[in-house]
Structure formats: C-alpha cells, structure tokens
Amino acid sequence: MKKSLLMISIMLALAIALGGCATKGDLEEVQAREKAIGAKADQAAQDAEDAKAAADQAVKKADEAVARAEEAERRAMERERIAAEKERIAEEKARMAEEKAKQAEAAFQKSMKK
Amino acid sequence: MREVVKSLPLHIHPEEKVRRNDFFVEKEDDVIGRLAAIRIEKEDTLPDIARHFSLGINTVSAANPGIDIWVPEVGERILLPLSFILPDTPRKGIVINLAAMRLFYFKKAGKLLAVSTYPVGIGTTERPTPMGQMYVKRKKIRPTWYVPASIAEDHREKGDPLPAKVPPGPLNPLGEYALYLSNSGYLVHGTNKPASIGLRATNGCIRLYPEDIERLFENAPVKTPVSIVNQPYLVGQRDGIIYIEAHKPFEESGIAELKRTYAKLRNIEKKSGHALDWKKVGKVMGEARGFPVPVFDINRGSEKVAAETIKLWHPGKLYGKPEIPELQTDAWYVLAATLRDKVDALRLAAIINHQGPPIPARVLSTSDRYRVLAGPFKNRREAKDAAKRLKIDLEIDGILVEPIKEGEPIAPLLSRSSSLNY
C-alpha cells in the first residue's frame, strides 16, 4: 500500500516538473495569437456593424424614395382632382351662361309679341 | 404738311358693294345675291347688324352658330347670308316662304324679271301664319289696329288690358303701312318692334322692317297675288352649280319636305349622270344654316365656280340701331337689375334697348357690380310706364330712381359708376 502511494506521488511530482518547462517565448506567441484573433473579431464585428448600417441606410433611402413617390403621386392626383374640379366648374359656368343666355332670349322673344 | 394717304386692303369692300333687296333673275337661275362678311365692332348686336343689311335675326344667328346674339365678341367675323334660293313656286306677285321667314316680290322689268326680297316675322306655333293662295285686298297708310278678341284676352290675363283699337303712332304694332290680305284678318304690315323680324312672334300676320314695308307698300298694288308656302329645304342652280339652302323646319313640316327635296336631288343626279356627294348634302341639310351652299357642278370640269363671300368694311353707324340719350341728373330712371356678371348686364341692357317702342338702357359698372339702368325719362309717369312695360314684357321688377335735387349730394348710382354705354 505504501509502495503504491509512493509511486503516485513520484508521478505527480514528475508531471509538475515537466509542466513547468514552457518557455517565455511560448507564452508571448500565445498572447500575440490571442490579440490577433481578438482584433480580427473586432474587425469582423465592425464590418458586420458597417454592413448593417449600410443596409439600414439603403432601406432608409428606399423608404424615402417610396415616400417621395407616394407624395408625388398624391400631389399628381391632387392636381388632377383640382384640374377636374376646375374643368367641372368651368363647364358648369359655361352651362349656366348658356342657360342664362337662353332664358334671356326666350324672355326677349316673348316680349316681341303684340 | 405731308398728306397721309390711308390705304385700304383691296380685298375688303365698302358695304354698298353688296346688294340687299333688289335683284334681276336670270331665266335659268334660282339663286340670287352674294354672301358677305363683316367684323363685329364695339357695341354691335346681331339684331342691329341684321337690320342694317335687311336680314332677319333668324338667318343671321343660324349662319353664325355659337355667337352671342346680344353680346358678340369684338373682332368676330359675321357671315351675312345675303344670297337666297327662290322658293319653288310660280314667280309672280308676292311669295312668302315661312321656313326662311322671307318675302319675295316678283315684278317684270321689261324683258327681265326683277325680284325684291325682305325678311319677315311670322305667326307663332299657337297662331301660325296661314298658307295658300290669296291676294292684296286693300292697302292703308297709318292703319288703326282693331284689337282681335283673342289678343285682347291674352293682354287682360297679363294685366295689360288693351283698348278696342290702337290709333297710328309708336304704340301701334302695325307700324305705318299695311296690306290687307284677302284671307280675312291677316295683314302684311310694318312693326314697332323691328327686332322681331326673323322671329315667330305674330298672331299670324306678316311683319316687315319699317323701311321694307314702305318700299313694298309703294310697289305692290292692290290685287297683287300672294302665295304663302313653307319650304325649309330649297334646291336651286346658278351657272350650272347646284345649291341647297336648308332652314330649321317647323316641327310639323320637316319629314315630308325632306323627302321631297331628296327626290328632287336624286332626279338631278340621274339627269346629270354624275354621282352627287350625298355626305355633303346630308351635312348641309342637318346643319340648316339658312344660306345656299354649292353641292354639285352639273358640267363637271367647267371653269365656273361658286361666288366667293364678299368681305365688307363695317359701316360705322348701323341703320335703325337704338340710340341711348346721355345721362342726366335731373331725369327719372328705372333700375332694372343689379348683376355680378358683365355679359349678363350688357345682354339685359341690349334686350331692353330693342323693345318696341325702344326703352333706352345702359350698364353702369361699379367695382364689383353692374347696374342696368333704363332711362332717362322726363317725368315720373314716363318712368312708371317704362317700369310697367319691363314688368309685363320681361318680368323685371324695376325700381324707380328719382332725379337728383339741387344741392343734394349726388347719389352713388350716378356718381361712383362708369357707363358702358350699351
């Protein structure tokens, strides 16, 4: 039993001794790699953010264009409505003027009888 | 000083260039006269132009569709239909074509046949002018009008009772001359309402302009035969060219007359051996503009062409145009209407001016309104009489305007207005 415990202790000590053998250079390399990857990740995140912003901008522009088109269409329809209204009023005025002229003429013709 | 020579365009002629009433008829011809044209000037009305050129208002307005009778636009060209197709009747004595509202008086002049033609006013739909053969039974200068019972009744209903007889004078609707026809109760006479020539406004009699009845009265003796016909569609020829003259037919006569005219045209087509332009014929018939339109050249290839329209200078003063006296502050007036529309006001003033006897009227404009003012009248009674006539004849409720008293501040009606002199 004592022998087994000794054996385990030796192996542990050996393992600890061997682990402590990593060099300073190794550590710096790992740190540099981490840094590079971190920067890469930051870049990617930034790129993604930029892409999203660009997409958002495009959507915004598209929305604005649609809104402008809708406004233009609304204005055109309004103009058309006003023109139609003006035409209707002009027609109505012409009709009324013609009607008044006819009424005046009828009154005149009646007045020409004996 | 250098003399300024005003040169006139050669293609426009003085008005004397065009014949109005008197023509010679060539044996083979049915068409007389020439079309003419004139430009409207300020204050012209179509009834004034019609009278000046001895035309009825019916033909002038039919020949110029769409032009305002009372307020035509200055500069508009007006066609004067001074060309006529003679009615399809024997050329003897007086012939009256009701549809054309025109009288023709045929008379031999040596070997030639002369015709004098005048526009007329005729009976209404309710009291139409009778058609048929008759003659002039007697003639009378300054006739008295014995009011027929039916007319007396009409006037009583309107609140305008008439005396049993109306002596000669401005209120006599017969005017200064009358030809009594053999068909009892019917006359060819003058009028105190010259603007009614070319209208269906009589009780069956035939009315002429005062200046025209005077000439007819002088020339047509008692026993002159009178033929009254109704021919809305006339076909005639001059110099080998066939003309059609279409008038708007009276309701009761259209279809039969149309059939008769088409039969006549088919006959001409058959005899000539050339196809007629039926589309053009249909257009002329449908438009009914009341003057002869060339539709067919019998001798195809001949160099003869239809006579061109003569362009005339405006005569300046139109014969018989109602005159409006100057405004006077010491006179009576009748305010006939206050209107917002200038054209409506001008039209009403013109209509009042053309009553018979005439009632002077003008338009006074303010910043946003137009007042139609009848007058001046010498006294209250004259103004009241005018107001009564406006009420009875035109259903206008006029307001009497008193003269301005000495020292009285000038009323806004006369002071802040500008007269349009219509």
Side-chain angles (χ1 to χ4, degrees):
Chain A
M1 180 72 177
K2 282 182 180 175
K3 204 178 174 180
S4 300
L5 286 169
L6 181 67
M7 196 61 191
I8 289 166
S9 302
I10 292 166
M11 284 178 76
L12 277 171
L14 187 65
I16 291 165
L18 283 173
C21 286
T23 65
K24 192 182 173 189
D26 290 339
L27 188 59
E28 282 174 352
E29 192 185 333
V30 168
Q31 283 174 340
R33 205 177 296 149
E34 276 177 10
K35 199 176 175 184
I37 290 166
K40 187 81 177 169
D42 287 347
Q43 182 64 47
Q46 184 62 49
D47 288 350
E49 205 169 302
D50 288 352
K52 188 174 178 296
D56 286 350
Q57 189 64 23
V59 168
K60 193 180 167 197
K61 277 185 182 170
D63 285 347
E64 281 171 2
V66 168
R68 276 200 303 274
E70 281 175 353
E71 179 62 14
E73 192 183 4
R74 194 191 61 75
R75 281 186 190 162
M77 281 170 72
E78 183 63 9
R79 276 198 298 273
E80 219 168 88
R81 191 191 63 76
I82 290 168
E85 183 65 8
K86 275 184 182 171
E87 197 177 326
R88 193 191 63 74
I89 290 168
E91 274 175 13
E92 180 67 11
K93 271 187 179 172
R95 194 191 60 73
M96 278 172 67
E98 200 176 315
E99 191 57 35
K100 276 196 277 189
K102 272 187 190 168
Q103 282 173 2
E105 192 52 25
F108 169 72
Q109 292 201 14
K110 200 175 145 204
S111 75
M112 286 293 106
K113 293 181 182 176
K114 266 179 193 161
Chain B
M1 199 171 81
R2 223 173 72 181
E3 195 183 342
V4 179
V5 178
K6 195 178 173 187
S7 62
L8 304 174
L10 291 173
H11 64 287
I12 303 184
H13 305 278
E15 54 152 336
E16 298 80 25
K17 181 90 178 171
V18 71
R19 284 181 174 276
R20 294 159 164 80
N21 304 108
D22 303 314
F23 305 89
F24 286 111
V25 186
E26 298 292 333
K27 204 176 176 187
E28 299 293 319
D29 287 355
D30 313 293
V31 184
I32 54 172
R34 294 271 302 269
L35 297 178
I38 197 168
R39 282 202 188 278
I40 289 286
E41 287 194 356
K42 200 178 168 217
E43 300 178 15
D44 281 350
T45 67
L46 295 198
D48 293 329
I49 288 177
R51 183 169 180 188
H52 185 87
F53 288 98
S54 195
L55 291 163
I57 186 57
N58 60 323
T59 49
V60 175
S61 56
N64 298 281
I67 291 183
D68 195 311
I69 292 172
W70 297 106
V71 196
E73 272 182 39
V74 172
E76 268 183 310
R77 186 180 287 271
I78 298 293
L79 184 69
L80 303 169
L82 286 162
S83 180
F84 317 99
I85 296 182
L86 301 173
D88 188 9
T89 60
R91 292 174 185 172
K92 197 179 170 194
I94 292 171
V95 177
I96 298 162
N97 185 1
L98 297 177
M101 293 198 212
R102 204 152 187 95
L103 179 150
F104 299 86
Y105 174 47
F106 294 97
K107 198 175 166 186
K108 282 201 172 150
K111 286 183 180 177
L112 296 171
L113 180 66
V115 63
S116 297
T117 178
Y118 309 104
V120 298
I122 61 166
T124 58
T125 313
E126 299 79 34
R127 292 190 177 128
T129 302
M131 291 194 284
Q133 307 298 317
M134 47 204 96
Y135 62 92
V136 176
K137 200 172 176 185
R138 64 188 175 96
K139 305 201 297 184
K140 178 88 178 133
I141 300 177
R142 294 180 60 76
T144 294
W145 182 40
Y146 294 93
V147 182
S150 57
I151 299 172
E153 179 59 28
D154 286 354
H155 277 255
R156 246 194 313 275
E157 280 175 15
K158 282 200 292 183
D160 178 32
L162 289 173
K165 61 180 184 177
V166 179
L171 296 176
N172 187 324
L174 303 183
E176 294 289 294
Y177 302 91
L179 286 83
Y180 293 78
L181 301 179
S182 55
N183 196 336
S184 181
Y186 294 98
L187 289 75
V188 177
H189 60 74
T191 182
N192 63 347
K193 296 177 190 283
S196 69
I197 302 306
L199 296 179
R200 295 186 79 176
T202 76
N203 294 293
C205 288
I206 309 286
R207 275 181 200 171
L208 275 79
Y209 285 126
E211 55 276 20
D212 291 345
I213 187 67
E214 187 177 357
R215 294 188 59 214
L216 184 69
F217 187 91
E218 282 167 8
N219 288 304
V222 170
K223 289 189 182 167
T224 299
V226 177
S227 172
I228 303 180
V229 298
N230 178 24
Q231 297 178 359
Y233 306 109
L234 299 150
V235 179
Q237 73 137 338
R238 178 164 62 184
D239 296 336
I241 294 170
I242 300 291
Y243 292 79
I244 298 177
E245 179 183 316
H247 298 270
K248 198 176 170 199
F250 302 151
E251 301 76 19
E252 60 274 19
S253 63
I255 294 169
E257 281 298 314
L258 201 61
K259 280 182 181 170
R260 196 179 66 84
T261 309
Y262 270 89
K264 197 171 180 180
L265 287 167
R266 272 195 296 273
N267 199 26
I268 291 170
E269 185 181 46
K270 200 174 165 186
K271 275 186 184 168
S272 73
H274 302 302
L276 208 66
D277 183 351
W278 289 102
K279 202 174 166 187
K280 188 172 184 182
V281 170
K283 189 169 179 274
V284 176
M285 299 286 223
E287 285 179 347
R289 291 183 65 189
F291 57 85
V293 178
V295 291
F296 188 54
D297 180 359
I298 296 173
N299 312 305
R300 285 199 163 177
S302 73
E303 291 186 357
K304 287 179 177 171
V305 291
E308 276 182 25
T309 300
I310 308 172
K311 290 171 189 146
L312 301 177
W313 282 107
H314 193 286
K317 188 173 161 56
L318 296 170
Y319 181 83
K321 182 176 176 173
E323 287 183 4
I324 306 156
E326 298 237 323
L327 279 177
Q328 296 156 17
T329 52
D330 58 350
W332 284 78
Y333 291 89
V334 177
L335 179 62
T338 302
L339 301 165
R340 286 186 184 279
D341 187 86
K342 185 180 172 184
V343 172
D344 287 346
L346 291 173
R347 183 183 294 118
L348 181 59
I351 286 175
I352 294 173
N353 274 320
H354 287 79
Q355 291 300 297
I359 300 173
R362 54 165 49 81
V363 175
L364 300 180
S365 67
T366 57
S367 56
D368 64 338
R369 276 153 205 250
Y370 299 91
R371 293 190 180 104
V372 180
L373 192 68
F377 302 108
K378 278 184 210 157
N379 49 45
R380 184 185 172 86
R381 192 178 56 79
E382 261 193 24
K384 276 187 86 174
D385 285 350
K388 188 182 170 191
R389 284 181 56 206
L390 290 177
K391 177 66 184 167
I392 289 168
D393 291 338
L394 294 167
E395 293 173 19
I396 289 171
D397 291 309
I399 299 165
L400 290 191
V401 181
E402 290 184 8
I404 297 162
K405 288 168 195 145
E406 214 169 307
E408 182 185 352
I410 295 177
L413 185 67
L414 299 180
S415 62
R416 287 201 299 274
S417 308
S418 61
S419 173
L420 296 180
N421 287 326
Y422 273 72

